[in-house]
Amino acid sequence: MKYAILGYSTINIGDDIQSYITTTLVEINYIIMRDDYEKVYDFEGKKVELNEKVKLIMNGWFMHNPDWKTGNNNIKFPIKNKNIIPVYISTCLSKDVPLLYTDECIKEYKKYQPVLCRDKTTLEKLKQKGVEVEFYGCLTQLLDISKLPENEEYRNKYQNSIIYIDCPKEYSKKNKKEKTFFFEHYIKDIVNKNPRERIDYAKDLLTKYKYAKKIYTHRLHAFLPCRAMGLDVIYTGDMNYRVKDLVTTNPDKENLKNKFFKSIN
């Protein structure tokens, strides 16, 4: 069996960080766009036709496509492509999108249950519908620092620095004497990159972060992988339903890895 990860056309590199970290766990053959399952790329970033069965790892937050909120099912969710076998692991189904909880969708989730949920809100809503579920969290919690390459240029530049990710500028006033850097995870230019280029961009960002002395971040998908790498990182963002269960729980990585491999096989 071959495996696929989700690709994105958003301005949020955090989406691609999730997919990149999945590539550190299993060999990936395809990238399938989250918001259009008929758009398929090989792992080099070339658009292709999908002519074989693949397991698509559904690690993501499902809500962004505007059609979902209006109830227009233009993207044919649940997935209609018979060559795509969804693996519902680390999946967050927005409570604000009724389409994700229709009878048709629930029937699909039951077909591939158990659903390993990224958040407890998804877990409770699916449980009420009779779906077999388990709280799992996010695959970004499984990043090992050894998976990122050594980079002498980045080491010289970022070692012993304090990095702020989407934090207000006034945060730097707390550490005036420190070497500081500011990063953003909402990046307009990445919409012009193909899915593989976006994944490489995500990997490059994390390679910079790994040398920091301390990190402050408003972004969940900076906090979780940095914590997984054993870095000194503090989450400063909103504690909404999508993030609170993840930020407040530091899981057993080996246990999560074992569940991941059991789920995809």
Side-chain angles (χ1 to χ4, degrees):
M1 180 60 65
K2 294 184 178 180
Y3 296 98
I5 51 175
L6 294 168
Y8 298 91
S9 57
T10 68
I11 63 170
N12 183 8
I13 195 64
D15 290 330
D16 307 276
I17 285 175
Q18 296 174 80
S19 292
Y20 163 67
I21 290 170
T22 306
T23 72
T24 71
L25 299 169
V26 65
E27 182 179 354
I28 298 299
N29 305 99
Y30 295 99
I31 304 170
I32 299 174
M33 301 302 286
R34 180 195 59 184
D35 296 334
D36 186 345
Y37 298 103
E38 297 305 314
K39 289 184 178 179
V40 180
Y41 297 78
D42 64 21
F43 195 58
E44 299 306 313
K46 180 182 177 182
K47 199 169 183 180
V48 296
E49 294 291 329
L50 185 61
N51 297 314
E52 59 182 332
K53 297 282 187 181
V54 299
K55 288 187 174 182
L56 173 59
I57 300 169
M58 303 290 279
N59 176 29
W61 179 30
F62 294 84
M63 72 89 56
H64 287 83
N65 190 293
D67 288 331
W68 294 7
K69 287 190 175 182
T70 63
N72 295 323
N73 195 2
N74 291 339
I75 58 166
K76 307 301 182 186
F77 195 89
I79 300 169
K80 305 296 184 181
N81 190 322
K82 299 302 182 182
N83 282 326
I84 298 175
I85 303 168
V87 179
Y88 291 105
I89 182 169
S90 190
T91 305
C92 175
L93 302 169
S94 174
K95 63 182 179 63
D96 301 313
V97 184
L99 173 63
L100 298 175
Y101 294 95
T102 62
D103 291 343
E104 182 185 16
C105 287
I106 296 301
K107 181 179 179 180
E108 185 78 358
Y109 305 147
K110 288 181 177 180
K111 181 179 177 181
Y112 297 105
Q113 61 188 8
V115 175
L116 275 60
C117 303
R118 203 177 83 177
D119 63 291
K120 292 181 181 178
T121 300
T122 298
L123 181 142
E124 291 301 327
K125 286 186 70 67
L126 290 179
K127 185 186 293 186
Q128 291 170 9
K129 297 284 189 176
V131 181
E132 183 182 342
V133 291
E134 180 180 342
F135 175 61
Y136 183 84
C138 186
L139 289 179
T140 54
Q141 298 174 123
L142 298 184
L143 179 61
D144 289 330
I145 198 168
S146 62
K147 298 294 185 178
L148 293 170
E150 289 298 320
N151 186 304
E152 195 63 27
E153 177 187 351
Y154 292 168
R155 180 192 297 275
N156 292 335
K157 184 172 183 178
Y158 298 109
Q159 193 168 42
N160 295 320
S161 69
I162 297 180
I163 285 178
Y164 300 92
I165 305 166
D166 285 309
C167 290
K169 293 293 184 181
E170 54 264 26
Y171 270 64
S172 62
K173 296 177 182 178
K174 301 177 182 179
N175 301 284
K176 290 182 179 179
K177 296 181 180 180
E178 301 281 359
K179 181 168 61 171
T180 61
F181 295 92
F182 283 82
F183 288 89
E184 296 181 353
H185 272 206
Y186 281 18
I187 307 162
K188 292 181 180 179
D189 290 346
I190 62 172
V191 299
N192 299 317
K193 297 180 181 295
N194 70 43
R196 175 55 190 271
E197 290 171 334
R198 291 173 62 109
I199 289 168
D200 289 341
Y201 194 110
K203 177 181 178 181
D204 189 67
L205 267 184
L206 292 169
T207 302
K208 295 172 181 175
Y209 297 164
K210 78 171 188 172
Y211 294 112
K213 178 172 67 175
K214 193 174 187 70
I215 297 171
Y216 296 87
T217 177
H218 267 44
R219 299 299 174 197
L220 180 67
H221 293 117
F223 173 77
L224 293 179
C226 287
R227 184 177 68 180
M229 289 190 286
L231 304 180
D232 186 355
V233 58
I234 295 177
Y235 179 73
T236 60
D238 181 24
M239 291 290 281
N240 60 56
Y241 80 94
R242 295 182 299 106
V243 306
K244 63 180 181 179
D245 303 317
L246 295 163
V247 172
T248 58
T249 304
N250 197 351
D252 180 332
K253 285 175 67 174
E254 287 306 312
N255 182 43
L256 290 190
K257 283 183 181 179
N258 290 336
K259 289 182 178 181
F260 169 77
F261 289 114
K262 181 179 178 180
S263 178
I264 68 171
N265 290 325

